[in-house]
Amino acid sequence: MARPAPQRVERIAVVGAGVIGGGWAAHYLRRGYRVQAFDPAPGAEQRLRTLVERAWPFLEQLGLAAGAGLERLSFHSELGAALEGAELVQESTPEQLEPKRASIEEIDSLLDPDIVIASSTSGFGMSELQTRCRHPERCVVAHPFNPPYLIPLVEVVGGRGTEPWAVEWAMAFYAAAGKRPLALSRELPGFVGNRLQEAMWREALHMVAAGEASVEEIDASIAYGPGLRWALMGPILTFHLASGDGGIASMLDHFGPALLEPWTRLDAPPLTAELRDRLVEGCRREAAGRSVAELERERDAFLVGLLSLVEGDGNGR
Ligand SMILES: NC(=O)c1ccc[n+]([C@@H]2O[C@H](COP(=O)([O-])OP(=O)(O)OC[C@H]3O[C@@H](n4cnc5c(N)ncnc54)[C@H](O)[C@@H]3O)[C@@H](O)[C@H]2O)c1
């Protein structure tokens, strides 16, 4: 089967149907694709259908593509059946190097060599994942953010064995599929968005471990503070507005010396049982009786409103 033009894809295989694979399925269904899912875990089909059904009202609010519908989702007990006729494979199996490598190897062995395999990995380089593929040239990382049906960003990057056409095709595909793809210039551990998230996560863990701030204080400091600005401009352009008409140059001159202050600790803190307990207990207090599913609904309703605000229709800036 020849690879279709990125704008003509109709059928997508989702391999691994947990939080992220299920989220991808919801997004692709919203955009009118046929989705063929495979996940060997007992109960995986029901969990996938529940995830998609919960997401659907929010996707309806944002708007469905012509012909989009839940009946375009099929679940398969064999990988080969899910790959049948697929024009893109979105791999979202667990973040463990060896099993992931084996999954990608198996997909590669069954799939037409023309078809792109995109991995949702949040940290492995494609160079590490594609080592046993017969056709490594079509393998790319396409790293989403949770939930993939609402957060537009996808970080796209190839590995040492990837051909440039695969990255170009994936970039055009994700743009046509209503995402906001970002092509990374090189394989960077943790990519870009995740790396920035991780830096803040490490500092938050240090503050909780040292008793410097509670879980609630950390969450409030971002949700009611810089998080609101970051949704529009990102951290650098935000600082361009932090020093009057002089912009970022004046900001750097003014606050540059603060960079030398020992404010942050970017090494990972030990994840002790005590730190784990503090985080679990803090989230329990913040949730105040709300289940994860209820918090997800609150998050999704908020994100739909935010997307409508920053993007007009939630389809990509
Ligand atoms: N959770 C996040 O916030 C997030 C964000 C971005 C990227 N990712 C990445 O997405 C991938 C999936 O993460 P997740 O959070 O959805 O994990 P998850 O545990 O929710 O889902 C993984 C699914 O893969 C299935 N699976 C296991 N072996 C498989 C196989 N051989 N073939 C097919 N399916 C198989 C499991 O049964 C499970 O349902 C990981 O690479 C992760 O790093 C996660």
Side-chain angles (χ1 to χ4, degrees), residues 12-17 35-41 74-86 88-93 99-112 117 138:
I12 297 171
V14 162
V15 177
V35 174
Q36 303 174 170
F38 168 71
D39 189 315
S74 60
F75 190 90
H76 304 266
S77 53
E78 298 292 330
L79 174 62
L83 298 180
E84 193 70 41
L88 169 80
V89 178
Q90 188 77 49
E91 176 275 323
S92 308
T93 63
K100 211 172 192 49
R101 200 181 259 156
S103 290
I104 291 174
E105 178 186 13
E106 195 183 354
I107 295 167
D108 172 71
S109 71
L110 295 171
L111 189 70
D112 189 297
I117 302 173
R138 45 64 175 275

Side-chain angles (χ1 to χ4, degrees), residues 14-24 38-42 44 47 79 91-96 99-100 102-103 106-107 119-124 142-148 194 197:
V14 162
V15 177
V19 173
I20 293 301
W24 273 121
F38 168 71
D39 189 315
R47 281 194 295 278
L79 174 62
E91 176 275 323
S92 308
T93 63
E95 190 74 355
Q96 294 159 2
K100 211 172 192 49
S103 290
E106 195 183 354
I107 295 167
S119 174
S120 301
T121 177
S122 39
F124 297 129
H143 171 240
F145 286 76
N146 192 43
N194 225 17
Q197 246 192 171

Side-chain angles (χ1 to χ4, degrees), residues 12 14 30 36 63 68 82 90 92 106 117 121 126 133 135 163 180 183 209 220 222 242 249 254 278 297 311:
I12 297 171
V14 162
R30 173 195 171 202
Q36 303 174 170
Q90 188 77 49
S92 308
E106 195 183 354
I117 302 173
T121 177
M126 184 40 77
C133 290
H135 293 287
E163 293 283 346
R180 169 91 175 173
I222 296 300
H254 184 172
R278 283 190 194 183
R297 269 197 297 281
E311 303 192 342

Side-chain angles (χ1 to χ4, degrees), residues 275-288:
L275 175 55
R276 187 177 184 282
D277 287 348
R278 283 190 194 183
L279 292 164
V280 171
E281 190 48 33
C283 286
R284 196 190 60 73
R285 286 194 306 270
E286 282 194 311

Side-chain angles (χ1 to χ4, degrees), residues 143-186:
H143 171 240
F145 286 76
N146 192 43
Y149 53 88
L150 291 178
I151 303 289
L153 184 66
V154 192
E155 296 179 304
V156 178
V157 63
R160 279 191 293 278
T162 307
E163 293 283 346
W165 66 256
V167 172
E168 282 159 25
W169 189 93
M171 286 295 295
F173 165 75
Y174 286 109
K179 303 299 286 185
R180 169 91 175 173
L182 186 66
L184 307 189
S185 58
R186 68 189 67 184

Side-chain angles (χ1 to χ4, degrees), residues 58 208 283:
F58 300 108
V208 173
C283 286

